Amino acid sequence: MTVFTRRTLLKTAAAAGVAGVGASTIGRLAGFAAVPDPVVLKTTSIQAQLMDGAPTKNVLTYGEAGPPPVVRMRKGEPFAARLVNGIDDPTTIHWHGIRVPNKMDGVPFLVQPYVYQGDHFDYAFTPPDAGTFWYHPHCNTLEQMGHGLTGVIVVEHPNDPQCDSEAVINLRDWRLGDDGQFIEPFRPRDAARAGTYGTVRTANWLDQPQYDAPAGGLVRLRAAITDVTRIYAFRVDGAEAAVIALDGNPVPQRFAPDALQLGPGQRLELAIRMPDDEGAIVSLRDVRGTKSKVLATLRAVGKSLKRDLRDLGPLEANPVAEVDLAGAKRIPLALSATAENVSANSICGSLGYSFWAINKVPWPGDTPDPTAPLAELKLGQSYIIDMENLTPHSHPIHLHGMSFKVLSSSTRQVQPLISDTYLIQPDEKVQMGLVADNPGDWLLHCHIIEHQKTGMTSYLRVV
Ligand SMILES: [Cu+2]
């Protein structure tokens, strides 16, 4: 396989900023007989060129420079990472979409302590699923993610069908002023609506990067929306393309990405058949709203490989337990606005407002205290979440620790997708089935971070 996004496909080992981490220690903690050397992910404050003019100060990354590295794992093989905190703000890492043991989930106070400046935390788990995932902090997230701490994860499968090249694209915005420096992270009136948008849009921290791919070849493009606010509508121009996976799971039926809407936290995997002519350009676009924006382009190089999109074999389904629909219990989940203000002080980065509620409760933060779980689930039992959006805005609702299957929607035809994040539209009611097969406390929240931090967060307890 040709890897052509060299800038971001750094070998994860290259991200190591600290030497001498004992793999055996981490292995003992996680109960593994043997684990690989840990990837070291050190939070660092850097300067980065994100737009024309002066570099932006106080950009946050994992590693020494540039965007957070693409972290590569293998399905079914132990993985270990050491988070080292090099910034003056407590942090953690959440492995978005990966069904990890609860203690590895990275939510402070719910499952682990803060990692303070100069301290470290060792994560170790075996990813059960292959696909595209991502990682980010779960502390003070509007600030930390907004300043750069969002990276893509690729979990490889030994039976992955062979493409001729791969592109990994981290999509996100930045809230920068004309001088290239960070401005206020949100505006309350926008937080009470669709969220506050960034002012500078990037792919892999670049404006419309271009990558080379073999002419006539098949590209596996993996895009993760790691922005804190923006919903995208994807289209590919200049080549035949098919959606092969969403949110880390193969789609039951492949389809063309014709203004496919995905929200923060979601991942898109495309197979793209490059044009035969050398120099031909393929563009990945966001066509949401009135303006079409090119996110990144691919340029055909060399003599045509003359491949066919239909050559690409199926992706293997992930081992997600089948929901027992007949015996499933229901969990009602209503998303609404709220007038009640409870978020005076949250231990994990309150924005100081309450605008949103789940089942009429505006949740004050990522803390279990004093709120009880939204629902207590019995280990091994099947459930159907009846989720209803009573607001005039879309919400990408993310569940930690377990995958669900989209069963039906009141407003559209849905494929039975397996996912961890569902972008619910205004006035939509959706049913999602899941087997409560991972014990622990699992957050359920909107991934528009301003919504999450102003009431739209709760958690499910599986015992
Ligand atoms: Cu939301």
Side-chain angles (χ1 to χ4, degrees):
M1 193 188 296
T2 314
V3 171
F4 58 86
T5 52
R6 273 176 227 286
R7 176 162 176 166
T8 50
L9 287 178
L10 303 170
K11 272 267 180 250
T12 49
V18 173
V21 178
S24 58
T25 312
I26 295 173
R28 270 201 308 281
L29 288 171
F32 291 132
V35 292
D37 287 341
V39 170
V40 176
L41 296 168
K42 182 179 180 183
T43 55
T44 315
S45 175
I46 61 168
Q47 291 194 16
Q49 196 73 45
L50 298 170
M51 57 185 268
D52 290 343
T56 305
K57 293 178 193 144
N58 196 22
V59 174
L60 302 180
T61 191
Y62 297 99
E64 301 288 307
V70 173
V71 171
R72 291 198 170 252
M73 308 177 187
R74 286 171 172 274
K75 173 190 154 70
E77 291 184 17
F79 168 82
R82 169 165 285 191
L83 165 65
V84 179
N85 191 5
I87 61 170
D88 184 18
D89 198 18
T91 194
T92 59
I93 294 180
H94 170 61
W95 312 89
H96 184 119
I98 302 185
R99 298 185 291 148
V100 297
N102 200 225
K103 288 211 166 339
M104 297 289 119
D105 197 44
V107 180
F109 302 99
L110 198 60
V111 304
Q112 73 158 93
Y114 269 159
V115 182
Y116 291 94
Q117 185 175 30
D119 286 349
H120 68 267
F121 188 87
D122 292 325
Y123 294 93
F125 53 86
T126 300
D129 304 319
T132 306
F133 303 90
W134 64 294
Y135 62 105
H136 63 81
H138 234 286
C139 293
N140 195 10
T141 40
L142 194 60
E143 184 90 9
Q144 292 188 14
M145 291 169 62
H147 279 233
L149 291 180
T150 65
V152 183
I153 297 169
V154 173
V155 182
E156 295 167 356
H157 192 294
N159 301 336
D160 270 340
Q162 282 300 300
C163 282
D164 304 299
S165 62
E166 182 186 61
V168 180
I169 295 182
N170 182 345
L171 294 170
R172 56 164 300 146
D173 301 352
W174 308 82
R175 280 190 53 77
L176 305 178
D178 292 340
D179 61 355
Q181 304 313 309
F182 283 104
I183 55 177
E184 86 284 357
F186 77 106
R187 289 185 296 248
R189 64 172 270 125
D190 289 335
R193 295 179 173 78
T196 312
Y197 286 94
T199 58
V200 173
R201 303 183 60 179
T202 60
N204 294 339
W205 290 24
L206 300 168
D207 179 29
Q208 300 180 16
Q210 183 169 96
Y211 303 109
D212 289 348
L218 297 181
V219 179
R220 183 167 180 171
L221 186 148
R222 302 170 183 266
I225 303 174
T226 75
D227 191 54
V228 293
T229 309
R230 188 178 296 278
I231 294 167
Y232 290 71
F234 291 103
R235 197 177 78 201
V236 172
D237 285 349
E240 199 187 348
V243 178
I244 57 173
L246 289 172
D247 301 338
N249 290 278
V251 294
Q253 267 189 314
R254 294 178 180 178
F255 58 96
D258 185 17
L260 171 67
Q261 277 204 30
L262 296 174
Q266 295 197 276
R267 290 86 67 203
L268 168 69
E269 284 191 49
L270 296 171
I272 297 174
R273 200 278 190 185
M274 292 299 290
D276 293 308
D277 298 334
E278 177 145 48
I281 301 294
V282 178
S283 55
L284 176 69
R285 286 174 178 272
D286 173 15
V287 295
R288 191 161 191 253
T290 48
K291 273 194 235 153
S292 166
K293 157 88 181 161
V294 173
L295 302 167
T297 57
L298 304 174
R299 187 176 68 111
V301 294
K303 201 162 161 277
S304 176
L305 299 179
K306 299 222 184 292
R307 295 262 269 163
D308 190 313
L309 209 49
R310 286 159 296 189
D311 290 347
L312 194 72
L315 303 178
E316 221 167 90
N318 286 320
V320 176
E322 196 60 48
V323 183
D324 167 21
L325 291 176
K329 296 194 167 140
R330 321 288 290 205
I331 302 173
L333 206 150
L335 309 172
S336 67
T338 184
E340 187 188 343
N341 199 344
V342 296
S343 70
N345 193 18
S346 164
I347 52 173
C348 207
S350 167
L351 301 186
Y353 298 88
S354 295
F355 297 122
W356 307 99
I358 297 179
N359 292 352
K360 298 190 176 159
V361 177
W363 296 74
D366 294 344
T367 161
D369 190 27
T371 53
L374 181 78
E376 200 166 289
L377 282 60
K378 192 161 160 272
L379 189 64
Q381 166 76 40
S382 287
Y383 292 87
I384 294 173
I385 297 177
D386 283 307
M387 185 162 73
E388 182 174 12
N389 184 1
L390 302 167
T391 83
H393 301 283
S394 299
H395 302 280
I397 302 298
H398 172 48
L399 174 64
H400 289 212
M402 291 171 287
S403 298
F404 53 77
K405 186 192 228 175
V406 181
L407 301 172
S408 62
S409 160
S410 61
T411 56
R412 48 182 159 155
Q413 201 74 35
V414 287
Q415 284 201 40
L417 296 166
I418 310 276
S419 176
D420 51 74
T421 309
Y422 186 83
L423 181 62
I424 191 167
Q425 307 287 334
D427 301 318
E428 183 179 2
K429 288 182 196 168
V430 65
Q431 297 184 310
M432 313 184 305
L434 69 89
V435 180
D437 57 2
N438 201 355
D441 288 343
W442 301 108
L443 279 198
L444 178 104
H445 65 88
C446 183
H447 230 288
I448 291 174
I449 304 299
E450 289 156 78
H451 293 178
Q452 175 195 356
K453 293 290 185 190
T454 56
M456 211 177 266
T457 307
S458 66
Y459 70 102
L460 302 178
R461 174 167 289 162
V462 177
V463 285

